[in-house]
Amino acid sequence: MPIQKLKVGMAGLGRVGKIHVNNFLHQTPRADLVAAFSPDPAEITWGRQHLEPYGVTLYDDYDKMLEHPGLQAVVIGTATSVHAEETMKAIDRDLHVLCEKPLSTSVEVCKAVVQKAKIKPHLKVMCGFSRRFDTSYREVHSKITQGLIGRPSILRSQTCDKYDPSGFYVAYAAWSGGVFVDMSVHDIDLTLWFLGEDSIPKSISAHGITAVQPELKQYNDYDNAVGIVEFWGGKIAYYYCSRMMPHGQEDTTEVIGTEGKLSVNINPQRDFVNYYHSGGITREVPPTFVGRFGEAFVREANEFTAACLEGTPLPVRLGNAVKAVEIGAYLQEALVTGKQIRFDEIGRRVETAQL
């Protein structure tokens, strides 16, 4: 009896889109990539070389790809500005959706996506937070659940990219939502996973600098920023995000509990090789997030596929995607205004927005 396969369409063939394409085409045995969309002629040209030989049909119109015969699911890796629109269109076509983070830079738009997904509970709609699929982070969650560090109380987490002098991230800042929504949203999602999804912010503050890319100021963004979220119930999260690391990708996390501490990637290494020489001891660091989280993306693709085919629960609740963006947006506001934002015990903002 042939193995049942999920027929998948890919939206977006850029940096992240190519990661998903490779995973669903070559590393997800229960999925069959049958279609791909991009509005970019250069990406379509890439698709003709790398996808058409495998029987993938290319489209330069997203709506037409949604009409591809037998299509069952869509993976969305296009620009953030169209994530929500494309997700809702796919839901309207009765298709499962795996959408790259964030669903939107707008909290209200994120909520609209969640509400639309609730109308069709038989569909699997998931926002891709890749760190939830990383073996090390899953081990941290398991140890917290076992009570091995007591009550988790402090989280210290960072997302730090290798410096890119091309100007890509300056142009990207025009619509990314800012460093906290674009980068720290991963760390915020981990916070909700480790400290409790019912965690309610008490106060939010942030500070930033433009150390190497002053052009970011025109978009009210920064290349280095620090944010602190105090939660009701005696918990604090500290975030650091940066786009100027000279050595490579450095994403690390510490969770400090009342009876111990857990850490992930505190001494980042590309592999287990250390080079000993007259100048000291050298170890290499992954140049991009793919080097650190490549296997997590593969696991994400396989678990999403399995949930669609078997009707099992998704490993990430869609509602968390809204809460992560909401906290990220408040951090970005605090960063821009320089003012602390406060909330009452049920999450209502105490003061009016100052943007």
Side-chain angles (χ1 to χ4, degrees):
M1 182 176 179
I3 298 175
Q4 183 184 6
K5 287 194 173 187
L6 184 74
K7 294 188 180 300
V8 177
M10 181 69 218
L13 297 175
R15 291 186 177 188
V16 176
K18 287 184 174 70
I19 295 172
H20 288 296
V21 160
N22 177 69
N23 291 340
F24 278 93
L25 193 60
H26 301 297
Q27 302 192 69
T28 310
R30 300 183 69 187
D32 186 8
L33 186 68
V34 296
F37 151 77
S38 175
D40 186 340
E43 292 179 4
I44 290 293
T45 299
W46 178 90
R48 290 197 183 100
Q49 180 181 355
H50 297 279
L51 301 182
E52 281 188 339
Y54 292 96
V56 179
T57 303
L58 299 176
Y59 295 88
D60 59 8
D61 185 305
Y62 179 70
D63 293 330
K64 289 182 179 178
M65 187 191 75
L66 295 185
E67 297 174 357
H68 185 89
L71 193 67
Q72 296 170 290
V74 176
V75 179
I76 297 173
T78 46
T80 301
S81 56
V82 294
H83 281 182
E85 177 187 357
E86 291 178 349
T87 296
M88 290 192 280
K89 282 185 175 181
I91 293 172
D92 286 338
R93 297 285 301 187
D94 219 34
L95 300 171
H96 303 294
V97 183
L98 168 57
C99 180
E100 259 303 314
K101 64 82 193 166
L103 288 175
S104 171
T105 58
S106 164
V107 176
E108 294 307 312
V109 173
C110 287
K111 289 180 179 178
V113 174
V114 173
Q115 289 304 312
K116 181 172 282 288
K118 286 181 178 179
I119 297 173
K120 296 187 175 182
H122 63 287
L123 293 180
K124 302 299 179 181
V125 182
M126 186 175 84
C127 187
F129 285 101
S130 55
R131 295 182 198 182
R132 294 247 188 169
F133 299 87
D134 178 69
T135 301
S136 297
Y137 281 116
R138 286 190 166 183
E139 182 65 18
V140 167
H141 184 263
S142 174
K143 283 179 165 52
I144 290 174
T145 302
Q146 294 174 54
L148 298 186
I149 62 168
R151 185 179 71 254
S153 304
I154 306 291
L155 181 138
R156 195 162 49 193
S157 196
Q158 69 178 46
T159 297
C160 295
D161 290 348
K162 183 177 175 65
Y163 174 59
D164 181 353
S166 70
F168 170 82
Y169 285 113
V170 175
Y172 179 55
W175 46 267
S176 71
V179 288
F180 284 115
V181 173
D182 178 48
M183 300 176 70
S184 293
V185 71
H186 284 292
D187 306 288
I188 297 167
D189 178 63
L190 289 175
T191 304
L192 299 175
W193 199 26
F194 295 156
L195 300 188
E197 295 179 352
D198 58 347
S199 298
I200 297 174
K202 182 178 182 181
S203 68
I204 293 177
S205 57
H207 301 277
I209 58 173
T210 49
V212 294
Q213 293 182 316
E215 303 89 349
L216 287 168
K217 290 181 179 178
Q218 65 184 303
Y219 301 115
N220 283 329
D221 207 6
Y222 301 80
D223 50 34
N224 285 266
V226 171
I228 296 177
V229 180
E230 176 190 13
F231 294 93
W232 288 97
K235 295 173 286 187
I236 293 176
Y238 166 96
Y239 306 119
Y240 170 48
C241 48
S242 173
R243 295 201 191 278
M244 73 170 194
M245 295 295 106
H247 54 280
Q249 193 78 16
E250 188 176 346
D251 301 335
T252 66
T253 301
E254 290 180 282
V255 186
I256 304 166
T258 55
E259 299 173 21
K261 182 179 86 168
L262 294 162
S263 67
V264 178
N265 205 38
I266 291 300
N267 294 303
Q269 291 188 220
R270 188 183 69 175
D271 48 39
F272 295 112
V273 176
N274 287 320
Y275 169 42
Y276 295 74
H277 52 94
S278 60
I281 303 172
T282 303
R283 67 173 182 270
E284 294 185 9
V285 177
T288 68
F289 70 95
V290 180
R292 171 65 182 86
F293 296 109
E295 291 184 8
F297 277 96
V298 174
R299 192 172 293 111
E300 176 184 71
N302 281 273
E303 292 189 13
F304 171 75
T305 298
C308 293
L309 291 173
E310 299 169 11
T312 53
L314 289 166
V316 184
R317 290 177 54 226
L318 191 60
N320 278 351
V322 179
K323 196 166 185 178
V325 170
E326 188 169 31
I327 293 174
Y330 282 131
L331 280 163
Q332 197 70 24
E333 180 183 331
L335 178 63
V336 173
T337 64
K339 296 182 179 181
Q340 186 181 64
I341 305 171
R342 303 189 66 84
F343 307 84
D344 64 17
E345 293 91 337
I346 60 174
R348 295 177 303 188
R349 185 167 176 163
V350 174
E351 58 185 10
T352 306
Q354 298 294 319
L355 273 179

